[in-house]
């Protein structure tokens, strides 16, 4: 899941960002409404988390502008204003859900997953990825190859999801660094090689037809090859 978090409190922003990344999600953060609106209108996200009280532009004002221009990204509004009138105003302003501060991180994740599940059911969006006999359930966050359940760490799940979404295409190291690690620079480490090696062991071990291939000098490719 690729999430945009618009939150001006650095402690809350760090708490949410760290937790979501540890859960295997990609997160971008904006500290004010103006930057948040720019990112939301120029990038594609699976979900938005908006603080209601933001510098530069109020969270509901930001959300209204997105809805007016046709953006339907599922949105969870966070606010210390948690009475009924405030929640109703937030929902009528375009929010899909409303969570009052303070909140539990587990509940925040559950609400995000609920938003995505409802959107998938309403729009018929893709909830499972398949490459050969390898299947990933995006809602249950489970992976199996044939009859074998494959246990993946959060980062491995993100890596495999990206590769499966680009099946039969060469994926470069730069693409993986940006999409899976949120790096926009080369850290000069072998972090990708290590994770690809672990992933290959899990999905291709003892298999007659491997799926994950190294394309020398270019990157990696997930798919069946002759």
């Amino acid at each position: 899941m690729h999430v945009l978090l618009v939150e001006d409190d650095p402690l809350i922003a760090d708490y949410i960002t760290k937790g979501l990344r540890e859960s295997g999600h990609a997160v971008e953060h904006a500290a004010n409404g103006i930057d948040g609106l720019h990112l939301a209108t120029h990038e594609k996200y699976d979900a938005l988390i908006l603080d209601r009280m933001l510098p530069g532009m109020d969270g509901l004002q930001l959300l209204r502008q997105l809805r007016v221009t046709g953006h339907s990204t599922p949105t969870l509004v966070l606010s210390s204003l948690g009475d009924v009138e405030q929640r109703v105003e937030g929902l009528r302003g375009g929010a899909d859900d409303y969570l009052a501060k303070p909140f539990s991180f587990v509940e925040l994740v559950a609400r995000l997953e609920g938003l995505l599940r409802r959107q998938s059911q309403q729009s018929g969006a893709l909830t499972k990825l398949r490459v050969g006999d390898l299947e990933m359930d995006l809602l249950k966050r489970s992976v199996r190859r044939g009859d074998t359940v494959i246990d993946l760490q959060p980062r491995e799940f993100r890596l495999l999801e990206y590769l499966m979404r680009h099946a039969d295409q060469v994926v470069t190291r730069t693409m993986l660094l940006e999409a899976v690690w949120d790096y926009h620079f080369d850290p000069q480490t072998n972090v990708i090689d290590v994770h690809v090696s672990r992933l290959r062991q899990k999905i291709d071990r003892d298999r007659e037809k491997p799926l994950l291939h190294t394309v020398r000098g270019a990157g990696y490719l997930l798919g069946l090859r002759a």
Side-chain angles (χ1 to χ4, degrees), residues 3-4 40 45-50 63 66 73-77 112:
V3 180
L4 172 61
Y45 299 96
D46 298 308
L48 308 180
I49 303 174
L50 299 181
L63 184 54
L66 289 177
T73 306
T75 301
L76 173 64
V77 170
L112 285 178

Side-chain angles (χ1 to χ4, degrees), residues 4-224:
L4 172 61
L5 169 66
V6 188
E7 169 63 66
D8 65 318
D9 186 315
L11 293 179
I12 294 177
D14 184 66
Y15 170 68
I16 295 175
T17 299
K18 182 178 179 181
L20 287 175
R21 286 177 176 167
E22 288 178 348
S23 299
H25 305 297
V27 185
E28 290 190 56
H29 171 238
N32 61 72
I34 295 174
D35 290 343
L37 180 62
H38 176 79
L39 286 172
T41 53
H42 287 81
E43 302 289 340
K44 182 174 176 56
Y45 299 96
D46 298 308
L48 308 180
I49 303 174
L50 299 181
D51 183 28
R52 177 157 180 169
M53 307 296 290
L54 291 168
M57 177 183 292
D58 176 81
L60 290 188
Q61 182 184 357
L62 186 165
L63 184 54
R64 289 189 186 103
Q65 289 201 30
L66 289 177
R67 296 305 189 229
V68 166
T69 55
H71 286 76
S72 59
T73 306
T75 301
L76 173 64
V77 170
L78 303 178
S79 179
S80 55
L81 306 174
D83 57 49
V84 173
E85 290 79 7
Q86 298 293 343
R87 293 199 302 272
V88 169
E89 184 182 5
L91 294 170
R92 286 179 173 170
D96 297 283
D97 202 353
Y98 195 102
L99 184 60
K101 298 177 181 179
F103 55 85
S104 107
F105 180 76
V106 173
E107 182 180 6
L108 181 144
V109 172
R111 286 175 180 259
L112 285 178
E113 292 174 346
L115 292 181
L116 293 176
R117 189 176 299 112
R118 290 199 295 272
Q119 185 192 49
S120 297
Q121 292 169 347
Q122 293 169 1
S123 65
L126 190 66
T127 60
K128 292 184 179 181
L129 302 175
R130 292 184 179 86
V131 178
D133 60 349
L134 181 67
E135 178 180 286
M136 171 179 285
D137 189 313
L138 297 172
L139 295 181
K140 295 180 180 179
R141 295 188 65 77
S142 62
V143 176
R144 64 172 58 243
R145 184 164 184 190
D147 296 326
T148 304
V149 176
I150 300 173
D151 183 30
L152 298 180
Q153 296 298 315
R155 188 78 67 178
E156 294 168 344
F157 189 95
R158 280 176 60 185
L159 174 59
L160 181 58
E161 179 183 353
Y162 189 82
L163 290 168
M164 293 184 76
R165 288 187 182 276
H166 296 80
D168 298 314
Q169 302 173 29
V170 175
V171 174
T172 68
R173 293 173 59 86
T174 299
M175 292 166 67
L176 292 176
L177 284 172
E178 291 183 353
V180 181
W181 277 267
D182 298 322
Y183 288 163
H184 296 278
F185 63 93
D186 189 343
Q188 301 296 319
T189 69
N190 66 341
V191 62
I192 292 179
D193 300 321
V194 170
H195 279 79
V196 168
S197 177
R198 290 175 180 169
L199 185 59
R200 180 180 282 120
Q201 283 293 314
K202 291 185 177 183
I203 67 173
D204 282 342
R205 183 173 51 198
D206 300 325
R207 297 285 177 172
E208 181 179 348
K209 295 182 178 180
L211 291 175
L212 183 50
H213 311 277
T214 299
V215 181
R216 189 176 300 275
Y220 303 94
L221 181 146
L222 186 77
L224 292 171

